[in-house]
Amino acid sequence: MVRPRDNRADGTGPPARPGAAARHTDDTAVGPARHLAAARRIPGWLKATTIVLSVLLVGVIAFGAYWVIRLQGNITTQALGAGNSRTEGAPDDASGRMQILILGTDTREGKNSKYGTKDDSSGYGHSDVMMLMDISADNKRVGVISFPRDLLVDAPACKDPKTNKQYPAQSGVMINAAMTEAGIGCAVDTVNKLTGLEIDHFMMADFNAVKELSNAVGGVDVCISDAVYDPDSGLRLPKGTSQVKGEQALAFVRTRHAFGDGSDLGRIKAQQGFLSALVRKIKDDGTLSNPARMLSIADAITKNLTIDDGLASVPTLLTVGNRLKTIDVGKVAFVAAPTEPAESDPNRLQLAEPAASELFAAMRKDIDLTDPTAKPSPSASPSASPSATASAAPSAATPSAPAYNKALQPVTVANGSADAARANDVVTALKAAGFSQTGQFAAQAVATTAVYYGPDFADVAKDVAALLGIPAKQVLPADVAGVQVYLGSDYKSGTKQADAPVSLPPDIVNQTAGDAKCQQANPALVVP
């Protein structure tokens, strides 16, 4: 056996015995090896604590995994759009400005069959509740804009993502039917076209979602001016404040006749009142900081929810929900899109101008609806950035080879600028460009210029806007004959427009989530 070389500087020899031999020797003279000393006993309390912690850790992991899998399995998805182009990328779900279209479907399939037959809702169903939730980039305010189900709009061409069937554009259709043929994405595209925004996500819930959510939070307090009974929805409430949950909560948000004058506008205010009370309940009860209650609510919601692919993960939903935790309820503004009876059908509604255009322009600029004089939030999304709303560069000539005869197109100039010279400049510019069928008239003063167009005049309106330097997002469909250039005080001359000051209709905010309001009962349904 070759002994290991001794390299120690002091000249001492190698160890008397290799470690292995010392550990296993039977020679009692050698003595016990250091590593075979009597084992130190682990205290019983430490063993027990270690076992308990291990069990708890495994339990927490298993519990978390169970809920993630369960919630993820609850989620149903559809495409965000229906074939119409987008100019914005995916939003930052944690800190970017975000718009979410919230829909309530009238489908009678599955658990909803007790509210009617499948024949009561065709195709993908109708969106009998439609609200656009706009979360600011700094997470300090939320705007919720409701669209009446009877509002007549122009729907773009849409493609059903499941069948790839193409559906043509439609004019003057009820907004709640936008999703019937091509799915939720077509409703999203329709609201994009209507507002000039680009919606980032959608959430669609059915009847059962309201029942289970109201049960999960332990009921929602609502108030009504008089005792009321609506046999159609089954809503029966006494005068004053009541707590509703389950079927009565659903009846409260579904009823079309119990509030106001019995129209959809009364129902919108009741729905906004319900959501305001729900927000206060969740905030006051500390639900957002209570994991057990949050899981119960998340389970109730996701079981009855359809969302777009961009939201289709539990972490993403939690990220979005987390953004709402610290928002002041006084900065959650509920608004109804300004409407008036439609000229084509008094039983339907159309956007009231210029109020609707002013609202949508303020939203595109990310204006605080509760305080229009406040500065927009930092890090706003591209749709709210100055570059997105800046005036288009003036064009010296109209687009080449238009698919129409400019001399035959009816173009009127509504002068809301309070300056007759501006209207004259615009008429001169239009006629010089070949739009010879042009006239003008005095109109109500407005701040923001817009170009409105009737059915089949979208291409003409686009060219007129380009000629006059009016941004594309201020070109909107409306119930007008041909094309109407509605001049605002922002317009400087016939070929140049300045950035418009912010202008909002008075009392545009119905209420904030901090307001506890009583709904006015419909006199026709008041009971003793």
Side-chain angles (χ1 to χ4, degrees):
M1 176 178 178
V2 179
R3 299 181 64 181
R5 181 176 178 178
D6 181 15
N7 291 322
R8 286 181 293 176
D10 61 0
T12 58
R17 185 185 297 274
R23 285 196 299 270
H24 299 290
T25 182
D26 293 328
D27 187 349
T28 57
V30 174
R34 182 180 58 183
H35 299 292
L36 290 181
R40 182 178 299 173
R41 296 189 61 188
I42 299 176
W45 66 267
L46 182 57
K47 286 183 178 180
T49 301
T50 301
I51 293 172
V52 170
L53 289 176
S54 298
V55 171
L56 286 176
L57 179 60
V58 172
V60 167
I61 294 173
F63 179 77
Y66 163 78
W67 274 104
V68 169
I69 293 172
R70 173 168 174 164
L71 295 178
Q72 191 71 53
N74 288 344
I75 295 173
T76 302
T77 65
Q78 280 194 32
L80 177 61
N84 292 279
S85 61
R86 296 179 62 84
T87 62
E88 299 175 10
D92 182 339
D93 292 324
S95 60
R97 184 186 177 197
M98 179 183 294
Q99 289 105 20
I100 303 175
L101 187 64
I102 300 174
L103 305 164
T105 177
D106 69 350
T107 179
R108 268 72 171 183
E109 294 183 339
K111 292 176 290 186
N112 300 299
S113 59
K114 64 184 293 185
Y115 305 106
T117 67
K118 191 174 180 180
D119 294 335
D120 293 327
S121 63
S122 57
Y124 287 96
H126 294 81
S127 52
D128 279 354
V129 176
M130 181 179 282
M131 299 179 177
L132 178 57
M133 181 169 68
D134 187 4
I135 306 173
S136 67
D138 58 7
N139 295 338
K140 291 185 177 178
R141 53 186 169 80
V142 175
V144 182
I145 292 81
S146 295
F147 298 92
R149 67 188 297 277
D150 294 335
L151 177 63
L152 299 181
V153 298
D154 292 339
C158 293
K159 183 173 72 172
D160 186 338
K162 291 183 178 180
T163 65
N164 288 325
K165 182 177 179 179
Q166 186 77 34
Y167 292 90
Q170 302 178 76
S171 297
V173 296
M174 286 173 55
I175 196 169
N176 77 329
M179 60 178 272
T180 302
E181 294 177 331
I184 306 172
C186 195
V188 171
D189 290 344
T190 298
V191 176
N192 285 342
K193 178 181 176 67
L194 189 68
T195 62
L197 296 165
E198 286 194 8
I199 294 168
D200 301 305
H201 298 295
F202 71 75
M203 297 180 176
M204 186 179 76
D206 60 18
F207 295 143
N208 212 52
V210 176
K211 294 193 302 182
E212 295 197 14
L213 177 59
S214 61
N215 286 332
V217 300
V220 178
D221 291 337
V222 296
C223 180
I224 189 167
S225 63
D226 299 277
V228 68
Y229 172 59
D230 175 18
D232 290 339
S233 67
L235 178 68
R236 185 188 291 274
L237 287 177
K239 178 180 179 179
T241 300
S242 303
Q243 186 177 87
V244 295
K245 61 171 66 175
E247 291 289 349
Q248 280 296 287
L250 177 60
F252 188 88
V253 299
R254 278 190 68 208
T255 178
R256 295 195 61 199
H257 309 296
F259 306 114
D261 60 358
S263 70
D264 203 41
L265 298 179
R267 180 168 75 158
I268 281 178
K269 288 188 176 182
Q271 290 169 347
Q272 293 177 341
F274 179 88
L275 289 178
S276 295
L278 177 62
V279 170
R280 293 194 302 273
K281 177 70 179 273
I282 291 175
K283 297 274 282 187
D284 293 346
D285 286 1
T287 299
L288 294 175
S289 58
N290 185 325
R293 297 199 70 185
M294 279 296 293
L295 285 174
S296 176
I297 292 173
D299 192 37
I301 293 175
T302 54
K303 284 191 298 186
N304 304 282
L305 192 68
T306 299
I307 57 181
D308 64 278
D309 295 329
L311 274 183
S313 73
V314 173
T316 302
L317 287 172
L318 292 176
T319 296
V320 175
N322 193 54
R323 297 183 61 170
L324 306 176
K325 287 172 60 174
T326 59
I327 292 178
D328 180 358
V329 292
K331 285 296 184 180
V332 181
F334 289 92
V335 174
T339 58
E340 61 188 7
E343 293 182 5
S344 60
D345 183 350
N347 295 316
R348 300 289 181 258
L349 298 170
Q350 66 185 27
L351 289 178
E353 298 296 356
S357 291
E358 290 173 344
L359 170 62
F360 300 150
M363 292 177 64
R364 292 192 295 270
K365 292 186 177 183
D366 194 21
I367 299 302
D368 183 348
L369 299 180
T370 65
D371 183 10
T373 62
K375 292 183 178 180
S377 303
S379 304
S381 68
S383 64
S385 66
S387 62
T389 54
S391 296
S395 173
T398 54
S400 60
Y404 55 83
N405 185 343
K406 289 187 289 184
L408 301 179
Q409 309 310 310
V411 181
T412 56
V413 178
N415 189 8
S417 69
D419 185 344
R422 292 179 186 171
N424 290 333
D425 288 343
V426 170
V427 170
T428 299
L430 288 167
K431 288 184 175 180
F435 293 99
S436 57
Q437 300 296 319
T438 300
Q440 63 171 298
F441 61 91
Q444 179 181 341
V446 295
T448 306
T449 297
V451 177
Y452 301 111
Y453 62 90
D456 301 325
F457 282 89
D459 52 349
V460 181
K462 179 180 178 182
D463 292 346
V464 167
L467 171 70
L468 301 176
I470 297 172
K473 288 190 175 183
Q474 289 167 223
V475 180
L476 303 166
D479 188 14
V480 298
V483 174
Q484 182 186 102
V485 181
Y486 201 127
L487 295 182
S489 58
D490 59 323
Y491 208 86
K492 297 301 183 184
S493 72
T495 57
K496 186 178 174 117
Q497 179 197 10
D499 194 26
V502 175
S503 177
L504 276 173
D507 303 322
I508 188 66
V509 176
N510 286 338
Q511 70 174 92
T512 71
D515 300 328
K517 288 190 173 184
C518 268
Q519 305 303 317
Q520 182 64 46
N522 179 4
L525 296 181
V526 170
V527 294

